[in-house]
Amino acid sequence: MKELNAIRAEWKGDTLNDGGGLSGEVRVNSGSVSVVFRYAFKWQGKVAWHYCGTYPAVDIAVVREERDKARDLVKSGVDPRSHKVAVKIEAQAAVLEIIRVDEQKRTEALTFSDLYGIWIEDGVSRSDGNKYIRQSFGKHAIPVLRDIKVQHLTENHLRDLYRRIIAAGKTATAVELSKDIGQMLRWAEKRKPWRALMIDGNPAELVDIKQLVPKGYTKERKRQLSIEEIIQLKRMFNATTQNYASDSRKHGVECVLKKESQIALWLCLGTLYRIGELLKTEWKHVNFEQRTWFIPAANTKGEHGRKHDQLIYLSEFTLDQFKQLHSLTGDSNWAFPARNKEGHVCEKTVSKQVGDRQVKFKQRSRKLKCRVENNSLVLGDEEWTPHDLRRTGSTLMQKLKINRDIINLCQNHVIGSRVDRVYLLDEYSDEKREAWEMLGDRLEAILRGDENDMKVIPLHVQVA
């Protein structure tokens, strides 16, 4: 030890012999002296060297211990150099195993909520920006299934969830949610780390929603307003408009539909277009001189890349409705401006207003905050919605003997084969204009109660 401490920089390159095959080379680096020790041994007839450490970074006792281990390995027929590599590999493997076990634990802890968070961002892209899915999962699925680990998710969890929603009178919501959860889990089955957590299968495949819904349930609504109900609706609007001011002062809240909402419903009936598309209308898209209403592709329903602009021709009936609306909201850029923010009203505003005024058909456990709830818009024994007016108008066209393809085109439905859509590009503008005009005449006759005017000459249009 004293000799090692006495080494000077002038000894650079000298070799020190420690015995037993251990020797050290003196090195100097930036004025610092060190000794690199190696153990010499014969392997397969040749001299080989095994590094044992560098003094003073490694104590000489440790260096000699390393020499002794190497010598014992040589005696047992093991190359100490290979053994050193093997030890490093084993150490690295141990580290990797610790990491693997930790990753497995974190993977096994992934929950339904974790899966939903990844899927909603990377696994699904709906035309509404996934707004409906976020609302549906946020209200029904996440509160119930949030903390359930994906590997522990069972068909019973899903079945109980759907039954709970159905019991609350929201069968359609349960059906749609079952489809969306099924889509999410099928997406997960094909991807890491989720597929490893579903080794026992996809629980959604084991739940048949048809077995859970009430007998006779059908998603397809067939509700349409009869002529008598259309007339009754007009009377309701007339009566409530006259009593609006006094009722509002009496109750302190709005108890009837605003005029703008009434007009929106007549426009749905007279144009066959969706309430959500209508409520996003800007006045720059309504041309009173040309009697047209333009709907940009971005505002229409459909898949990305397949939506296109729409041009609706206004009948006297729908033109008059837009004129009445313009007298109310013409100072805004929007036909249906929002009350407390820039832009248009919420697309669900009118639907909520109509539903709230048919509360007898709802199964609400409590009164909704800041919402009017009464039965002032009840028509018959079945609830109706703004979308049912679209069906009603289409059926009136059908009764006028208008060609069904023209009716579908008026509704912005896709018709014909893919080849037809590529090569047959006529938009049947004249035929659609005539169809809308006939519907408008029919509605005016109905609302006047003039049975003679209701006998409209049918279209004789054929579409190849």
Side-chain angles (χ1 to χ4, degrees):
M1 180 69 70
K2 291 182 179 181
E3 183 180 359
L4 290 174
N5 292 332
I7 296 175
R8 298 189 298 275
E10 290 79 6
W11 293 20
K12 180 180 179 181
D14 291 351
T15 299
L16 306 179
N17 189 0
D18 192 61
L22 182 65
S23 61
E25 179 185 353
V26 178
R27 295 181 181 180
V28 179
N29 185 14
S30 300
S32 178
V33 178
S34 61
V35 182
V36 178
F37 284 97
R38 296 186 299 172
Y39 165 64
F41 64 97
K42 279 191 175 182
W43 190 258
Q44 295 181 348
K46 298 181 180 180
V47 177
W49 301 89
H50 174 68
Y51 173 74
C52 295
T54 299
Y55 181 85
V58 179
D59 189 78
I60 188 62
V62 176
V63 171
R64 289 167 179 165
E65 183 180 350
E66 181 64 24
R67 182 267 320 271
D68 295 341
K69 291 179 181 179
R71 186 167 53 194
D72 292 342
L73 287 170
V74 172
K75 289 180 180 180
S76 62
V78 177
D79 186 342
R81 297 168 301 176
S82 299
H83 180 266
K84 188 174 184 179
V85 173
V87 169
K88 288 183 177 180
I89 293 175
E90 289 180 354
Q92 179 64 22
V95 171
L96 293 176
E97 177 62 14
I98 292 174
I99 294 174
R100 186 196 67 78
V101 171
D102 180 67
E103 288 181 347
Q104 182 176 350
K105 288 181 179 179
R106 286 189 286 111
T107 297
E108 292 175 350
L110 290 173
T111 64
F112 182 93
S113 182
D114 295 325
L115 171 56
Y116 165 74
I118 297 296
W119 176 70
I120 198 67
E121 293 298 329
D122 302 329
V124 62
S125 178
R126 302 277 176 84
S127 59
D128 64 349
N130 297 335
K131 182 178 179 180
Y132 175 81
I133 296 178
R134 293 180 189 276
Q135 291 177 340
S136 178
F137 273 70
K139 184 175 182 179
H140 302 289
I142 298 302
V144 177
L145 305 177
R146 174 191 291 112
D147 298 326
I148 297 178
K149 295 180 180 179
V150 173
Q151 65 174 346
H152 295 156
L153 184 67
T154 69
E155 59 180 297
N156 291 329
H157 290 123
L158 301 181
R159 192 178 289 110
D160 291 345
L161 171 64
Y162 303 148
R163 281 176 172 157
R164 182 180 307 183
I165 298 172
I166 292 170
K170 300 180 179 179
T171 302
T173 299
V175 172
E176 290 303 313
L177 183 61
S178 71
K179 293 179 181 178
D180 291 336
I181 290 179
Q183 180 182 346
M184 180 181 73
L185 293 179
R186 286 191 296 273
W187 178 86
E189 277 186 299
K190 301 175 183 177
R191 292 167 174 82
K192 291 182 178 180
W194 314 105
R195 64 186 181 193
L197 301 177
M198 300 172 66
I199 193 66
D200 293 329
N202 182 347
E205 300 296 335
L206 303 178
V207 180
D208 186 357
I209 193 66
K210 294 179 181 179
Q211 300 297 322
L212 303 180
V213 301
K215 291 183 179 180
Y217 168 79
T218 176
K219 179 185 175 183
E220 296 181 358
R221 283 180 61 87
K222 296 184 178 180
R223 178 71 163 105
Q224 60 173 307
L225 272 61
S226 66
I227 291 178
E228 291 75 16
E229 287 175 330
I230 294 174
I231 296 172
Q232 184 181 353
L233 182 63
K234 178 64 174 178
R235 290 171 180 164
M236 288 176 174
F237 286 168
N238 289 342
T240 53
T241 300
Q242 294 170 3
N243 297 328
Y244 177 81
S246 60
D247 286 346
S248 296
R249 287 192 297 269
K250 179 179 179 181
H251 299 289
V253 295
E254 180 183 329
C255 60
V256 293
L257 279 182
K258 293 174 61 176
K259 184 64 176 179
E260 292 93 323
S261 298
Q262 297 178 28
I263 292 172
L265 294 173
W266 292 131
L267 285 172
C268 284
L269 179 60
T271 64
L272 314 186
Y273 268 75
R274 300 176 180 87
I275 187 67
E277 296 170 339
L278 174 64
L279 296 182
K280 291 187 284 187
T281 299
E282 296 181 65
W283 279 122
K284 66 180 180 180
H285 292 149
V286 180
N287 190 315
F288 290 101
E289 292 183 1
Q290 298 181 9
R291 299 170 57 142
T292 59
W293 166 34
F294 174 76
I295 304 179
N299 290 359
T300 63
K301 180 181 179 181
E303 299 179 9
H304 292 302
R306 298 187 64 180
K307 302 196 294 185
H308 55 277
D309 299 337
Q310 291 295 308
L311 188 65
I312 294 87
Y313 299 99
L314 302 177
S315 64
E316 287 292 340
F317 175 76
T318 52
L319 179 65
D320 179 63
Q321 297 300 321
F322 268 120
K323 287 181 177 179
Q324 292 184 52
L325 183 62
H326 191 266
S327 68
L328 298 172
T329 65
D331 57 345
S332 169
N333 293 329
W334 303 90
F336 298 92
R339 180 182 301 175
N340 300 317
K341 65 176 183 178
E342 292 294 327
H344 58 79
V345 297
C346 174
E347 300 165 40
K348 296 183 179 180
T349 295
V350 177
S351 297
K352 289 180 178 179
Q353 291 174 353
V354 172
D356 288 346
R357 288 156 178 80
Q358 301 176 81
V359 73
K360 64 178 291 185
F361 299 114
K362 307 295 184 180
Q363 294 183 351
R364 294 176 177 172
S365 58
R366 59 182 175 82
K367 188 181 186 304
L368 300 181
K369 186 178 180 180
C370 300
R371 298 271 286 273
V372 175
E373 292 184 327
N374 55 47
N375 292 302
S376 60
L377 289 181
V378 170
L379 296 171
D381 299 326
E382 186 179 356
E383 182 183 9
W384 63 276
T385 69
H387 196 79
D388 294 332
L389 298 179
R390 175 173 156 91
R391 183 182 301 106
T392 301
S394 301
T395 304
L396 287 173
M397 277 191 177
Q398 184 184 20
K399 291 180 178 180
L400 291 169
K401 308 303 180 184
I402 297 173
N403 182 280
R404 64 187 303 168
D405 284 342
I406 297 299
I407 299 175
N408 279 316
L409 288 172
C410 286
Q411 292 181 289
N412 191 23
H413 288 163
V414 175
I415 65 170
S417 65
R418 183 175 180 181
V419 173
D420 290 344
R421 297 194 296 273
V422 171
Y423 292 99
L424 305 180
L425 303 182
D426 180 36
E427 297 183 354
Y428 296 101
S429 299
D430 294 337
E431 292 82 354
K432 289 190 293 184
R433 181 188 290 108
E434 188 176 0
W436 273 311
E437 288 176 351
M438 290 183 64
L439 175 60
D441 291 343
R442 177 70 164 174
L443 291 174
E444 286 185 335
I446 291 173
L447 296 178
R448 283 197 308 266
D450 190 336
E451 292 297 328
N452 293 324
D453 288 345
M454 290 166 61
K455 297 177 181 178
V456 183
I457 300 175
L459 270 176
H460 296 286
V461 177
Q462 296 297 324
V463 178

